[in-house]
Structures are given as C-alpha cells and as structure tokens.
Amino acid sequence: MRSARAIAHSNIALVKYWGKRAAVAGQTDDLNLPAVGSLSMTLDSLRSETQVGPSPADVFTLNGEAIEGGMATKVFRHLDRIWTARGEKGARPPCAVDSINHLPTSAGLASSASGFAALTLAGAGALELEASTATLSALARRGSGSASRSLWGGFVRLDRGELADGSDCVARQLFPADYWDVRLLVVHTARGKKAVGSTAGMEESRATSPYFDAWVATSEADLAAGEAALAARDLATLGAVMEQSMFKMHACMLATRPPILYWNGVTLEVLRALWEARQAGIEGYGTSDAGPHVKVLCASETAPKLEALLRGVPGVLAVDTVRPGPDAQVEVSP
Ligand code: PMV
C-alpha cells in the first residue's frame, strides 16, 4: 500500500438530483443509483483535501478532529469498496484517513461531493487501484451521488442510466472551467448542520411524496434544456431551467411525510431580492440544496453588484463569489 493525497472541488447542481432508484430485488442498493440525471458546476474555492496512507488500525480525522462511528464508518466502508474493486476478497489493509474540508461540513454546501470524490481518488491511489476517471466517478457515486460529478472541473453531467447494474449511470465533463466566465454567489443564511441528511430525506420523499413521480417524469426534459442552454451560453434560459428544477425538488421535499423543509425565512428573502434585482436589470438565478443557503449563478461582470445587493438582505451572514473550478487531482507517494 502507498500514501496518496487528493484534492477535489465541490459542485452545485444547476439541474438537481433528488431520490434514488428503488433497489432491484436480490441486489444490494449499495450502487446508489439516482432516480434522475443531473447537471452541475464545479466550484473553485470550496474543496476537500484527503490523505490516505498505511496505519496499524483504521483512523479518520476530519479538520484535525478524530471521528469515530457515523461519518468514519462511511469513510471506511468506502475504502472497502475500492479494495473490492481491485478484485480482492480478503480484508483491506488498515488505513489512516486525514481530511480537511475547506467549506462547512453537512450544511447543504456539498461537502459530501468534494469529500467522497477526494476520498475515492486518494483511496484508489493508496490502495493501488488502476482505474479510469469514469470508473472512479462511479465508485465515488456509491459514497454520495453528487460526488460522482466532482471528479471533473467545469460543467458536468451525470446520466441516470437505465441498467440495473448501474453501468450506464455515468458522469462526464461537458465543458471545462474556462468555457464560460460565470460566477456562483454562495449566500449563507444560517450556521450549523442540516437537520435531515440527504440520503434519509431522499428515501422518505420516494416513499411518501405524491410529487415524487412528477419530479422524476419531468427531470429528463430539464436536463436536456439545461445542457442545450449551457452549450449556447444562454444564461437566461439556463437560469429559468435551474430555478424550476430547484423549486420542483423543494416542492417534492415539502410534500414528503413528515415534510422536509430546508429553507429558513432568509432563504425566501434572498430569492425575492434576486427576482427584484432581475426586474431592475441585474441578472442572476438562484438554486438551493439540502440546506438553507442560496447559490446564485450570474455573469462575472454582474457578480460585484449582485454580491453587494444580497449582502444587504437582512439575515444574510456572508456572500462568497466562486468561479468554475478545476478537475480533481491526486498525488501518490511510495
Ligand atoms: O449526493 P448527495 O447525498 O450529496 O445529495 C445531493 C442532493 C442535492 O445536493 C440536494 C442535489 C444535487 O444534485 O447535488
């Protein structure tokens, strides 16, 4: 076994993923197959750095703090998947995993995307799994659906696929980071972690939300429209698709029993301020994930004006302006 260090950047879905495909009888649901495809932008400054190396026993530290159970269990289960992907039947060698999130953890800011992408790359490097980026992306998906998109920079699409073995559920880069000079403004509206994790929330939505089937049925058209707008660098069309995809996802969440409400009052005030700004000719489009923060897509030249305006919304804690980010990277040492 070797030591490897990886950096992966977070991503935000412009066309959203929410919900997993029901597991096929006789198959483990460990494949983590999404019910819908998605389209994302990788983010420059929000990233995870993960080091995996040999150790007398499995140990996991996150931002310098030793973690046991919960997230640590998920991390080591993921390294087991990488070991199994080598064709190994026996026990995996014990590993030390040291991870730093340059973004808030579990706050709806896609730390699982960058975290599992970095863990997959560093784990494969350390456990000496030779695999293509597409294969590593499929492995990352089994840790967290959104992580499969964080292997690449720029703009990335994850296909839903149809096959039960997940072999056609693949992510790929549509355009690199320098394709379009846009910005994503990350508008922070609260501190702390989200109440409902996305894995549990998605299962509850699939099982109980009367809007889940409509969400799935309309998502493929959103994906096609989003990709076409991106290919044309058409911000207004992409923005409209983006906002509707986000509102449909949150409507599906809200109609879940018990309801899943990630927003707070400030989330809504920010969305309203954004619409008012648009009417006044300052163009930006909003999205939000499994948390109360709002992310706004806009042209680079609009970003300073919009950032100042959104900072002024009562309750907004901070606004970060982020560029499209690069591919994930790994360095392996003997
Ligand atoms: O794959 P997860 O568990 O990180 O879930 C991602 C879900 C959303 O962030 C709400 C949407 C998305 O496509 O990233």
Side-chain angles (χ1 to χ4, degrees), residues 3-249:
S3 276
R5 185 173 156 274
I7 300 182
H9 291 251
S10 176
N11 73 75
I12 290 297
L14 307 178
V15 178
K16 300 292 183 191
Y17 145 58
W18 187 255
K20 300 177 197 298
R21 277 198 248 161
V24 176
Q27 192 181 51
T28 66
D29 63 355
D30 186 52
L31 288 174
N32 197 24
L33 296 172
V36 296
S38 51
L39 177 67
S40 61
M41 177 174 134
T42 300
L43 305 179
D44 189 28
S45 49
L46 306 183
R47 64 193 189 279
S48 299
E49 285 183 47
T50 299
Q51 168 103 30
V52 177
S55 165
D58 278 346
V59 278
F60 174 49
T61 61
L62 179 62
N63 298 331
E65 193 193 322
I67 310 275
E68 284 178 18
M71 210 180 290
T73 310
K74 287 188 190 169
V75 163
F76 295 117
R77 197 190 303 146
H78 197 62
L79 293 180
D80 291 342
R81 290 184 186 116
I82 294 171
W83 186 243
T84 308
R86 274 176 48 117
E88 303 284 349
K89 300 263 183 296
R92 163 182 61 75
C95 298
V97 180
D98 192 1
S99 197
I100 302 202
N101 274 344
H102 296 277
L103 76 174
T105 302
S106 303
L109 287 170
S111 59
S112 70
S114 53
F116 274 101
L119 179 66
T120 305
L121 269 183
L127 294 169
E128 303 181 55
L129 170 70
E130 298 296 332
S132 65
T133 310
T135 300
L136 293 172
S137 161
L139 267 170
R141 183 197 72 230
R142 293 169 65 187
S144 159
S146 56
S148 62
R149 304 184 305 234
S150 268
L151 272 287
W152 293 274
F155 300 87
V156 179
R157 176 178 167 142
L158 173 64
D159 286 329
R160 173 196 191 274
E162 298 297 329
L163 299 173
D165 68 359
S167 55
D168 57 348
C169 175
V170 283
R172 63 186 188 279
Q173 185 185 59
L174 296 177
F175 301 103
D178 61 2
Y179 167 74
W180 200 11
D181 196 20
V182 287
R183 297 290 180 268
L184 198 86
L185 310 183
V186 181
V187 186
H188 299 253
T189 66
R191 288 190 185 83
K193 297 192 180 189
K194 59 195 171 197
V196 182
S198 53
T199 304
M202 285 181 195
E203 274 318 286
E204 286 167 17
S205 289
R206 185 172 64 79
T208 69
S209 178
Y211 299 163
F212 188 76
D213 290 346
W215 157 250
V216 172
T218 57
S219 70
E220 207 53 38
D222 290 345
L223 206 51
E227 183 172 343
L230 183 62
R233 296 192 183 88
D234 177 347
L235 184 62
T237 304
L238 179 60
V241 172
M242 203 178 129
E243 288 197 348
Q244 209 204 359
S245 170
M246 180 271 286
F247 281 116
K248 282 195 284 190
M249 178 181 82

Side-chain angles (χ1 to χ4, degrees), residues 266-310:
V266 185
T267 314
L268 292 175
E269 293 306 330
V270 169
L271 289 170
R272 279 192 191 285
L274 192 59
W275 292 347
E276 279 164 23
R278 221 146 71 201
Q279 272 161 7
I282 307 170
E283 193 186 7
Y285 300 89
T287 189
S288 92
D289 293 278
H293 314 293
V294 182
K295 294 97 181 189
V296 177
L297 185 72
C298 64
S300 61
E301 59 272 18
T302 317
K305 222 187 255 179
L306 209 45
E307 182 180 327
L309 193 145
L310 295 173

